[in-house]
Amino acid sequence: MTRVCEDGRMMVDERGRGFLRGMARSLAIQRPTLEEVEDVDAAPPKSQRYVEPFPRPVATPTRPSKEKTRFETLLEDQTKAKNDQWSPFASQEEWDLAVWLMKNVGQRSTDEFLKLQAKVDALPTGPRWECEVITTPGDRAGEDGEIVGEEMELWYRNPVECIKELIGNPAFSDSVSFVPERVYTSNDGDDRIYDEMWTGDWWWNTQVRQITRRRGHRALILASDKTQLSQFQGDKKAWPVYLTIGNISKEVRRRPSAHATLLLGYLPVPKLDCYSDATRSLASYRLFHHCMSRILEPLIKAGQDGVEMVCADGFTRLIHPILAAYVADYPEQCLVSCCMENRCPRCTVDPKHRGDFIQSPDRSVALTLNTLSAHRDNYDPQRFSDDGIRAIYEPFWRNLPHCNIFECFTPDLLHQLHKGLFKDHIVKWCTTLVGETELDARFKAMSGYPGLRHFSKGISFVSQWTGTEHREMQRIFLGVLAGAVDEHVVTVVRAALDFIYYAQLQMHTSTTLAALKSCLETFHRHKDIFIKLDIRKHFNIPKIHCLLHYLASIQALGSNDGYNSESPERLHIDFAKDAFRASNRKDYHEQMALWLQRREAMWQREAYISTHDEQYYDPDLELSADEPNSPSDEDTNAHGDIGTATSFRKYHVAKNTTIPGDLIPALTTFLLQHQLNPILPDTPTFWPQTGSPAIFDTALIIDDLAKHQSSGGFAGLRVAQIRMVFLLPPQFAPIRTHLSTWNDSLTGMYIISRSTRHHHPNSAIISAHRIVRACHLMGKCDMAIEKGKKFYLNPYIHVDTFTAINVQ
């Protein structure tokens, strides 16, 4: 059996040692030639970042000296009281047990086991919860002839206090920015970089327009999403509202265990039976805006006058919190923007032309409010119906300072791209063209790749689709379709897939944004093929129209991975579902709020302990781990570290490995090139058993090191099939291998053919350091890689591979 040691060496069992010992004896009689070789570990240079700072001081401290941070104050209090960091718990063992119980056992059982309630309640907590009873009069009369009303509870916290909690958290001190900046890939400033929110245009332009003095602002990010709480029975629902700030790096924000997103409140989800069927929907819309107005009311004064806040670095700054982004799915975007669901929440496009590649005027806050005011005064302007506005006369965003709510809506990768454009439309259209049977057969015949789902029964038998299945299909869909559909259909599918992959990039440049726009133009230029083939009648589809706004959103707010709607979907587990399961299911909002307050208190103490006692920190004890396999509403496997999660998989190595027949000639050639003339057997005869059938993975290897180091990407790389991995003395430099590669203009994928020399496979020995990454080959005619002669190099197998091949 073969295994990999920690230092990367390959170890073989007794059956293989005989061959290596014989080779070592042969090498021992020769004096090896030593030569200096270039460090093959040197990776191609990463994108340089040239920063253009904001032209004047911003967010300068209002006081010359530092204030004590929350953790420093807590440490001082504990020192004065002569308590250790575990107080009020008796010891580290009791604290660790409390953490474990809070994560794995229900609240009632925890209290009964350790009587933790008093101790947990003694811990410092975050912003306190408030409850407001809202009474809404209906329009229906009861049995007594009186108008029926309904009472409901609104649970929320002060958003300004939540911002103070986040910006003053010492755990985020290395991940916070206070000023906008423009970043470029070179000193000439031609290629702009967009990744974090502070690199986008919104922050820079808002700072210029809003603040003439040395003040800073907090870019608020809100998210809301209704979710089901009860399973199998009951109709219990929750409507959480989340808050975070764009000042914190998106890499930290999207990690649930970092606790960089706070639960701001629970919106009521009433049945509103006191309203008639004709007015119930509009009443629910108005109720949503009323509740959001109550929650966000403190932001009005804070945004106008500013609030002094002690930041994570200890300095006090005057901060203006401003709503910058709102993360929601399409129906909720329409709810927030007060427009009909057959309209665009960002622009005034005609609903009959949503499938056209045209830019319509953006919605205006002032104009929308004027139209609503006129409609309330019984003056019905034509614009009210033309723009598809709902009669919500007091939207919650009307008084928020410096906020354009229509520009706040961010792209929804999960619902608009993976589920919408791809699964609901592209896959459905292509299935009609190819046929379920043929498409299933092609999926079943697809070559394997580590971590790639094999649809052993095809896709027509998948009963429950999640974001995971959508992504798995995207990785191989173009290869499945190649040769089965019209070339114009392949062009449309390729453009759609390229757009999806470009939209997921964690860092954009002017070059990648131009490519993103080009993909969308190609899609619209060729999409009429589905009308010609009688698959579609029109393209007035909201999710296709939304793609037009991706470019502007990225330029304004940074890359999409910082605002993905999968983040609130994942947060539902901690802030809604687990909290509900800890309650007795009656008057559950109050119990959920109390349970979460205790959890947050322990999260804060856990962060404090890990900060002041690094030896203690144990990620296994985290109250909320990033668990990619945790269930959620939309995706049961994709809510860990959103957009960047790396899967660590176990690989099984064959017990009886077959030595390739061309190993001896390749090894002889390699040694001769190093001025060695060993005596090697023609064929290895020491193997006692026949090896089991092998699966030889393919990889991108460095063929031209200098070219790859200077240009990066796909430059200087070749595709190779790894037949065997073994250890040679370290003084032998690697040699190159030559493979045949060219590009298919239709699919855009490189076509790979087997490289031969004198009608034999072109085999060579190379250093393992030259392997850049694994790659996936899809058979051009026969999907079986060992039988095929030509293959497609799959750029969609991973976003990193797509970037390496397409972004130079």
Side-chain angles (χ1 to χ4, degrees):
M1 178 176 292
T2 306
R3 62 187 180 91
V4 183
C5 297
E6 292 182 357
D7 59 1
R9 295 175 299 155
M10 300 299 296
M11 304 297 294
V12 297
D13 59 12
E14 288 299 332
R15 293 171 295 177
R17 288 196 180 99
F19 174 70
L20 296 182
R21 282 197 295 265
M23 185 172 65
R25 287 194 297 269
S26 178
L27 294 174
I29 62 175
Q30 303 287 338
R31 177 177 291 275
T33 301
L34 301 179
E35 59 178 324
E36 292 293 332
V37 297
E38 199 169 0
D39 184 8
V40 294
D41 285 332
K46 295 182 179 180
S47 299
Q48 299 294 322
R49 297 177 71 90
Y50 296 84
V51 178
E52 176 189 349
F54 196 70
R56 62 173 181 267
V58 174
T60 54
T62 58
R63 302 170 191 172
S65 60
K66 286 187 176 183
E67 302 287 336
K68 289 185 177 66
T69 65
R70 184 189 315 144
F71 289 174
E72 290 171 342
T73 301
L74 180 57
L75 179 61
E76 184 178 281
D77 294 341
Q78 287 182 335
T79 303
K80 289 181 179 179
K82 297 182 180 181
N83 293 328
D84 58 18
Q85 66 265 44
W86 315 110
S87 175
F89 297 90
S91 63
Q92 177 181 346
E93 288 73 19
E94 185 175 280
W95 163 257
D96 290 343
L97 180 59
V99 171
W100 185 87
L101 288 171
M102 188 65 72
K103 178 182 178 182
N104 297 283
V105 182
Q107 183 68 35
R108 184 184 306 171
S109 300
T110 301
D111 293 343
E112 292 176 355
F113 186 81
L114 269 186
K115 304 298 181 183
L116 288 177
Q117 179 173 341
K119 293 187 176 183
V120 174
D121 289 343
L123 295 174
T125 62
R128 67 185 183 89
W129 283 90
E130 299 179 25
C131 177
E132 180 177 329
V133 177
I134 297 176
T135 302
T136 175
D139 60 1
R140 294 176 59 245
E143 295 180 356
D144 56 359
E146 298 291 331
I147 296 296
V148 179
E150 187 170 346
E151 287 188 351
M152 62 210 72
E153 293 181 348
L154 170 63
W155 286 86
Y156 65 98
R157 299 194 280 188
N158 189 321
V160 176
E161 295 301 318
C162 291
I163 296 168
K164 289 182 179 180
E165 178 80 13
L166 292 172
I167 203 62
N169 191 335
F172 303 145
S173 58
D174 296 330
S175 307
V176 173
S177 177
F178 299 103
V179 297
E181 60 186 26
R182 289 173 176 168
V183 186
Y184 303 90
T185 59
S186 61
N187 207 20
D188 56 18
D190 291 336
D191 202 17
R192 177 91 175 268
I193 291 178
Y194 302 89
D195 47 16
E196 299 288 355
M197 178 180 273
W198 56 80
T199 66
D201 293 333
W202 176 89
W203 198 323
W204 186 287
N205 296 336
T206 302
Q207 196 78 55
V208 170
R209 290 194 307 264
Q210 176 220 346
I211 302 169
T212 58
R213 288 163 287 181
R214 298 181 178 183
R215 301 185 180 185
H217 65 263
R218 292 293 169 267
L220 298 190
I221 303 173
L222 294 181
S224 60
D225 182 45
K226 192 185 300 183
T227 185
Q228 186 76 27
L229 295 177
S230 54
Q231 297 178 348
F232 307 115
Q233 60 181 355
D235 58 349
K236 307 297 184 182
K237 297 179 181 179
W239 200 335
V241 181
Y242 304 107
L243 178 146
T244 185
I245 53 177
N247 304 74
I248 301 175
S249 171
K250 59 188 175 70
E251 183 178 354
V252 176
R253 289 201 316 266
R254 68 187 177 211
R255 194 168 67 241
S257 61
H259 310 301
T261 300
L262 297 181
L263 177 65
L264 183 58
Y266 288 117
L267 300 177
V269 191
K271 296 182 179 180
L272 295 180
D273 292 331
C274 57
Y275 287 91
S276 62
D277 294 341
T279 60
R280 186 175 298 122
S281 294
L282 182 59
S284 66
Y285 302 150
R286 290 175 175 174
L287 176 63
F288 168 84
H289 281 268
H290 173 75
C291 293
M292 289 294 292
S293 297
R294 297 291 301 121
I295 294 175
L296 302 181
E297 184 178 358
L299 293 178
I300 299 175
K301 181 176 175 54
Q304 292 171 345
D305 302 334
V307 178
E308 282 196 341
M309 299 185 184
V310 179
C311 301
D313 59 1
F315 286 105
T316 301
R317 294 177 173 85
L318 187 63
I319 301 301
H320 296 253
I322 300 173
L323 180 59
Y326 200 110
V327 181
D329 56 20
Y330 178 77
E332 201 148 326
Q333 288 181 5
C334 294
L335 170 62
V336 172
S337 64
C338 305
C339 74
M340 304 285 187
E341 290 192 12
N342 65 340
R343 305 301 178 103
C344 174
R346 286 188 60 124
C347 71
T348 57
V349 63
D350 189 300
K352 296 181 181 180
H353 297 285
R354 287 175 296 175
D356 299 339
F357 187 66
I358 56 174
Q359 292 287 349
S360 301
D362 292 334
R363 291 185 181 272
S364 165
V365 172
L367 192 57
T368 301
L369 292 177
N370 289 337
T371 304
L372 287 170
S373 178
H375 188 270
R376 180 170 51 184
D377 295 337
N378 295 322
Y379 172 67
D380 192 0
Q382 185 64 34
R383 181 176 294 277
F384 184 86
S385 57
D386 289 346
D387 291 351
I389 302 176
R390 296 186 187 274
I392 304 170
Y393 301 126
E394 296 182 351
F396 71 84
W397 39 263
R398 67 191 185 282
N399 294 323
L400 293 180
H402 316 292
C403 171
N404 185 336
I405 191 64
F406 307 115
E407 295 180 356
C408 291
F409 298 125
T410 59
D412 183 357
L413 300 182
L414 176 62
H415 300 98
Q416 292 174 356
L417 293 185
H418 300 309
K419 183 179 183 301
L421 174 64
F422 179 71
K423 174 58 175 65
D424 293 344
H425 301 301
I426 295 294
V427 173
K428 181 179 178 180
W429 301 341
C430 293
T431 301
T432 303
L433 287 174
V434 178
E436 282 189 358
T437 303
E438 175 64 18
L439 199 62
D440 285 344
R442 287 173 170 260
F443 270 103
K444 289 188 287 186
M446 178 57 61
S447 56
Y449 178 83
L452 175 66
R453 171 170 177 174
H454 180 225
F455 292 90
S456 58
K457 297 182 179 180
I459 62 172
S460 61
F461 292 92
V462 179
S463 58
Q464 184 175 0
W465 289 96
T466 68
T468 300
E469 280 75 27
H470 302 153
R471 292 180 182 86
E472 292 298 308
M473 289 178 59
Q474 290 168 12
R475 299 171 75 181
I476 57 177
F477 196 66
L478 190 61
V480 167
L481 285 186
V485 294
D486 183 274
E487 62 179 20
H488 296 290
V489 174
V490 173
T491 301
V492 174
V493 173
R494 174 192 168 191
L497 287 174
D498 285 353
F499 185 93
I500 292 172
Y501 273 71
Y502 276 118
Q504 297 178 79
L505 295 185
Q506 299 172 26
M507 185 190 75
H508 275 282
T509 65
S510 301
T511 302
T512 60
L513 290 180
L516 182 77
K517 183 179 180 180
S518 177
C519 293
L520 189 58
E521 290 174 345
T522 302
F523 174 83
H524 280 281
R525 189 164 55 247
H526 295 276
K527 70 179 185 298
D528 287 345
I529 184 63
F530 290 105
I531 294 179
K532 295 178 181 178
L533 295 174
D534 238 5
I535 302 299
R536 288 290 303 176
K537 300 297 183 183
H538 61 81
F539 291 96
N540 294 327
I541 302 172
K543 292 175 182 177
I544 290 181
H545 168 76
C546 289
L547 308 184
L548 289 171
H549 300 299
Y550 274 52
L551 183 65
S553 180
I554 294 170
Q555 291 174 328
L557 300 174
S559 56
N560 292 327
D561 61 310
Y563 316 98
N564 198 343
S565 61
E566 291 179 70
S567 295
E569 296 278 0
R570 171 59 182 85
L571 292 173
H572 286 341
I573 299 174
D574 291 333
F575 293 114
K577 298 180 184 299
D578 286 350
F580 177 74
R581 283 192 285 267
S583 71
N584 63 5
R585 276 66 167 177
K586 297 179 181 180
D587 299 324
Y588 51 88
H589 280 119
E590 180 178 2
Q591 299 174 57
M592 291 166 66
L594 178 60
W595 185 80
L596 286 169
Q597 181 172 292
R598 292 172 176 169
R599 293 261 291 190
E600 287 182 345
M602 297 193 70
W603 287 336
Q604 290 183 17
R605 179 55 63 91
E606 190 176 38
Y608 164 75
I609 293 174
S610 62
T611 300
H612 289 81
D613 190 356
E614 295 183 358
Q615 294 181 348
Y616 158 76
Y617 177 70
D618 184 357
D620 292 335
L621 293 176
E622 284 187 350
L623 289 176
S624 176
D626 296 333
E627 301 174 357
N629 293 324
S630 300
S632 67
D633 288 355
E634 292 289 343
D635 189 349
T636 58
N637 286 323
H639 295 292
D641 202 359
I642 304 300
T644 62
T646 301
S647 299
F648 296 93
R649 300 180 177 87
K650 295 181 180 179
Y651 296 89
H652 299 281
V653 180
K655 293 182 178 180
N656 302 321
T657 306
T658 301
I659 287 187
D662 49 1
L663 171 65
I664 300 302
L667 183 58
T668 302
T669 301
F670 175 78
L671 297 175
L672 287 174
Q673 289 184 350
H674 290 79
Q675 302 177 15
L676 297 172
N677 188 18
I679 301 175
L680 299 177
D682 293 334
T683 57
T685 58
F686 56 84
W687 213 255
Q689 297 183 21
T690 302
S692 59
I695 298 176
F696 301 113
D697 291 332
T698 53
L700 291 174
I701 65 171
I702 300 176
D703 183 57
D704 189 331
L705 182 60
K707 186 176 181 181
H708 184 60
Q709 287 180 326
S710 62
S711 302
F714 194 60
L717 301 183
R718 287 289 186 271
V719 178
Q721 189 176 31
I722 310 300
R723 307 282 294 184
M724 186 179 183
V725 181
F726 58 92
L727 185 66
L728 277 178
Q731 62 266 29
F732 299 113
I735 63 173
R736 300 176 181 176
T737 181
H738 300 277
L739 303 168
S740 301
T741 306
W742 69 95
N743 189 271
D744 179 24
S745 59
L746 177 59
T747 63
M749 296 186 290
Y750 286 96
I751 298 178
I752 310 297
S753 65
R754 294 189 180 276
S755 180
T756 59
R757 181 179 298 164
H758 305 301
H759 304 290
H760 292 285
N762 184 10
S763 301
I765 295 174
I766 65 168
S767 168
H769 295 91
R770 295 221 181 228
I771 300 176
V772 178
R773 60 167 54 87
C775 67
H776 181 224
L777 298 186
M778 301 181 291
K780 193 171 185 295
C781 299
D782 192 322
M783 292 295 181
I785 191 170
E786 296 301 327
K787 298 179 180 179
K789 296 181 179 180
K790 293 182 179 179
F791 314 91
Y792 288 116
L793 173 60
N794 185 3
Y796 305 105
I797 196 64
H798 195 276
V799 174
D800 288 344
T801 304
F802 178 84
T803 305
I805 294 176
N806 292 281
V807 181
Q808 302 296 335

